[in-house]
Amino acid sequence: MDNINAANHTATAKTVSVADATSAANKAVDQAKAGGKTRSYVRFVNPAAISKAALDAIQKVSSQKGIQLSVYADTIVNNMIVSRMYIDPATYTLSTDLKTSVITNVPTVKAHFNKYFKNKLQVVGFTQQGPLGTNIAAAVKLDFNGMDTSKLVLYSYDAVQNRYSILSDQTYFIDVNGYLHFTTSEGNYIIVSEGQLR
């Protein structure tokens, strides 16, 4: 993932409407068909949330037109993509909106963990608290300076309950541009630790 064209997208944080979702889905389908492709994506920049109805509308266009559509929700700060959530509208199960903002600087949570553990770590904060309604792949730009990225362990942290648990899916990779890619079904905070917490 890269930050190409990020400067051209400074959309206001708002919930994606059904009309916007349908329009974007149709445009993505038309481009895919013109290029002879069977899959494409619908991209939203800095959306606060995507409603269940909007995701259903995208899936409806996908089914009707025979083009498989994914949703990219990008969080852009200072003209750089800091995170992307990859959402499959066909598998979303919640009846509520999906909050799609991601924060990569969460000093309070980091300080909390540094108080009890000696691991080097980074924190990813989802604005969606609790379940995400589906398995969501995420790509997040983090500062791994001084960390051994070959032995990262990912945890989900619920700040309200003050509980953490190891993510069931520990598959991750860091791409050439420094984005950490991982999959989670839980929002809240993701603790990215160098080794198991100790």
Side-chain angles (χ1 to χ4, degrees), residues 55-138:
L55 288 171
D56 285 347
I58 292 167
Q59 184 54 32
K60 185 178 178 183
V61 172
S62 174
S63 300
Q64 286 176 343
K65 304 287 180 73
I67 299 289
Q68 188 178 339
L69 291 175
S70 298
V71 174
Y72 292 1
D74 288 354
T75 298
I76 292 180
V77 178
N78 295 328
N79 293 331
M80 189 180 85
I81 299 172
V82 294
S83 73
R84 171 172 289 168
M85 291 171 67
Y86 300 85
I87 305 155
D88 180 354
T91 62
Y92 186 69
T93 58
L94 299 182
S95 57
T96 53
D97 294 354
L98 173 64
K99 293 180 181 171
T100 48
S101 297
V102 176
I103 307 156
T104 56
N105 183 20
V106 195
T108 51
V109 173
K110 193 170 183 181
H112 179 69
F113 273 79
N114 284 337
K115 192 172 164 184
Y116 299 101
F117 303 101
K118 54 190 181 184
N119 304 62
K120 292 176 182 173
L121 55 87
Q122 293 294 332
V123 180
V124 178
F126 287 94
T127 50
Q128 176 85 0
Q129 298 297 293
L132 290 168
T134 183
N135 278 332
I136 285 180

Side-chain angles (χ1 to χ4, degrees), residues 178-197:
Y179 289 87
L180 172 71
H181 294 251
F182 62 93
T183 302
T184 179
S185 60
E186 292 289 318
N188 307 318
Y189 297 98
I190 302 296
I191 308 301
V192 183
S193 170
E194 182 183 278
Q196 292 199 4
L197 289 172

Side-chain angles (χ1 to χ4, degrees), residues 142-153:
L142 295 171
D143 180 7
F144 289 116
N145 194 28
M147 290 178 69
D148 182 351
T149 56
S150 69
K151 56 180 185 180
L152 299 180
V153 180

